[in-house]
mmCIF file of all heavy atoms in Angstrom:
data_model
loop_
_atom_site.group_PDB
_atom_site.id
_atom_site.type_symbol
_atom_site.label_atom_id
_atom_site.label_comp_id
_atom_site.label_asym_id
_atom_site.label_seq_id
_atom_site.Cartn_x
_atom_site.Cartn_y
_atom_site.Cartn_z
ATOM 1 N N ALA U 54 -45.170 -0.157 153.059
ATOM 2 C CA ALA U 54 -44.597 0.405 154.275
ATOM 3 C C ALA U 54 -45.447 0.018 155.469
ATOM 4 O O ALA U 54 -46.678 -0.123 155.355
ATOM 5 C CB ALA U 54 -44.502 1.924 154.173
ATOM 6 N N GLY U 55 -44.781 -0.117 156.607
ATOM 7 C CA GLY U 55 -45.494 -0.424 157.835
ATOM 8 C C GLY U 55 -44.956 0.413 158.980
ATOM 9 O O GLY U 55 -43.749 0.453 159.218
ATOM 10 N N ARG U 56 -45.833 1.128 159.649
ATOM 11 C CA ARG U 56 -45.429 1.949 160.792
ATOM 12 C C ARG U 56 -44.976 1.058 161.954
ATOM 13 O O ARG U 56 -45.364 -0.109 162.055
ATOM 14 C CB ARG U 56 -46.603 2.821 161.230
ATOM 15 C CG ARG U 56 -47.099 3.797 160.168
ATOM 16 C CD ARG U 56 -46.151 4.981 160.010
ATOM 17 N NE ARG U 56 -45.946 5.669 161.268
ATOM 18 C CZ ARG U 56 -46.764 6.592 161.761
ATOM 19 N NH1 ARG U 56 -47.873 6.921 161.117
ATOM 20 N NH2 ARG U 56 -46.479 7.180 162.908
ATOM 21 N N ARG U 57 -44.183 1.625 162.843
ATOM 22 C CA ARG U 57 -43.616 0.845 163.934
ATOM 23 C C ARG U 57 -44.674 0.265 164.861
ATOM 24 O O ARG U 57 -44.459 -0.774 165.462
ATOM 25 C CB ARG U 57 -42.627 1.683 164.729
ATOM 26 C CG ARG U 57 -43.227 2.861 165.469
ATOM 27 C CD ARG U 57 -42.160 3.852 165.856
ATOM 28 N NE ARG U 57 -41.615 4.499 164.662
ATOM 29 C CZ ARG U 57 -40.489 5.210 164.656
ATOM 30 N NH1 ARG U 57 -39.802 5.356 165.763
ATOM 31 N NH2 ARG U 57 -40.069 5.782 163.562
ATOM 32 N N SER U 58 -45.799 0.929 164.929
ATOM 33 C CA SER U 58 -46.879 0.433 165.782
ATOM 34 C C SER U 58 -47.507 -0.836 165.227
ATOM 35 O O SER U 58 -48.156 -1.589 165.944
ATOM 36 C CB SER U 58 -47.959 1.501 165.928
ATOM 37 O OG SER U 58 -48.559 1.753 164.669
ATOM 38 N N GLY U 59 -47.311 -1.056 163.921
ATOM 39 C CA GLY U 59 -47.908 -2.210 163.277
ATOM 40 C C GLY U 59 -49.349 -1.999 162.875
ATOM 41 O O GLY U 59 -49.952 -2.874 162.248
ATOM 42 N N SER U 60 -49.899 -0.846 163.212
ATOM 43 C CA SER U 60 -51.317 -0.625 162.963
ATOM 44 C C SER U 60 -51.599 0.066 161.644
ATOM 45 O O SER U 60 -52.747 0.147 161.215
ATOM 46 C CB SER U 60 -51.910 0.219 164.101
ATOM 47 O OG SER U 60 -51.272 1.490 164.128
ATOM 48 N N SER U 61 -50.570 0.566 160.998
ATOM 49 C CA SER U 61 -50.767 1.338 159.769
ATOM 50 C C SER U 61 -49.874 0.814 158.673
ATOM 51 O O SER U 61 -48.669 0.642 158.879
ATOM 52 C CB SER U 61 -50.467 2.817 160.039
ATOM 53 O OG SER U 61 -50.591 3.577 158.863
ATOM 54 N N THR U 62 -50.445 0.561 157.513
ATOM 55 C CA THR U 62 -49.683 0.102 156.362
ATOM 56 C C THR U 62 -50.057 0.927 155.133
ATOM 57 O O THR U 62 -51.120 1.556 155.089
ATOM 58 C CB THR U 62 -49.940 -1.385 156.060
ATOM 59 O OG1 THR U 62 -51.345 -1.583 155.859
ATOM 60 C CG2 THR U 62 -49.458 -2.265 157.198
ATOM 61 N N ARG U 63 -49.167 0.898 154.154
ATOM 62 C CA ARG U 63 -49.387 1.623 152.908
ATOM 63 C C ARG U 63 -48.800 0.799 151.785
ATOM 64 O O ARG U 63 -47.751 0.189 151.943
ATOM 65 C CB ARG U 63 -48.720 3.000 152.953
ATOM 66 C CG ARG U 63 -49.031 3.883 151.764
ATOM 67 C CD ARG U 63 -48.379 5.250 151.921
ATOM 68 N NE ARG U 63 -48.709 6.133 150.815
ATOM 69 C CZ ARG U 63 -49.774 6.921 150.804
ATOM 70 N NH1 ARG U 63 -50.578 6.956 151.836
ATOM 71 N NH2 ARG U 63 -50.030 7.699 149.764
ATOM 72 N N TYR U 64 -49.494 0.776 150.635
ATOM 73 C CA TYR U 64 -49.059 -0.042 149.510
ATOM 74 C C TYR U 64 -49.057 0.762 148.215
ATOM 75 O O TYR U 64 -49.882 1.661 148.025
ATOM 76 C CB TYR U 64 -49.987 -1.248 149.327
ATOM 77 C CG TYR U 64 -49.970 -2.211 150.480
ATOM 78 C CD1 TYR U 64 -50.868 -2.092 151.535
ATOM 79 C CD2 TYR U 64 -49.023 -3.241 150.530
ATOM 80 C CE1 TYR U 64 -50.834 -2.964 152.606
ATOM 81 C CE2 TYR U 64 -48.988 -4.119 151.596
ATOM 82 C CZ TYR U 64 -49.896 -3.983 152.631
ATOM 83 O OH TYR U 64 -49.854 -4.850 153.689
ATOM 84 N N ALA U 65 -48.140 0.386 147.340
ATOM 85 C CA ALA U 65 -48.187 0.917 145.986
ATOM 86 C C ALA U 65 -49.426 0.370 145.290
ATOM 87 O O ALA U 65 -49.842 -0.768 145.556
ATOM 88 C CB ALA U 65 -46.931 0.512 145.219
ATOM 89 N N ASP U 66 -50.002 1.154 144.424
ATOM 90 C CA ASP U 66 -51.210 0.712 143.727
ATOM 91 C C ASP U 66 -50.986 -0.593 142.967
ATOM 92 O O ASP U 66 -51.891 -1.422 142.862
ATOM 93 C CB ASP U 66 -51.680 1.805 142.748
ATOM 94 C CG ASP U 66 -52.267 3.003 143.464
ATOM 95 O OD1 ASP U 66 -52.609 2.889 144.660
ATOM 96 O OD2 ASP U 66 -52.374 4.066 142.834
#
Side-chain angles (χ1 to χ4, degrees):
R56 299 285 304 277
R57 65 198 68 194
S58 64
S60 62
S61 177
T62 57
R63 187 177 182 89
Y64 296 92
D66 288 343

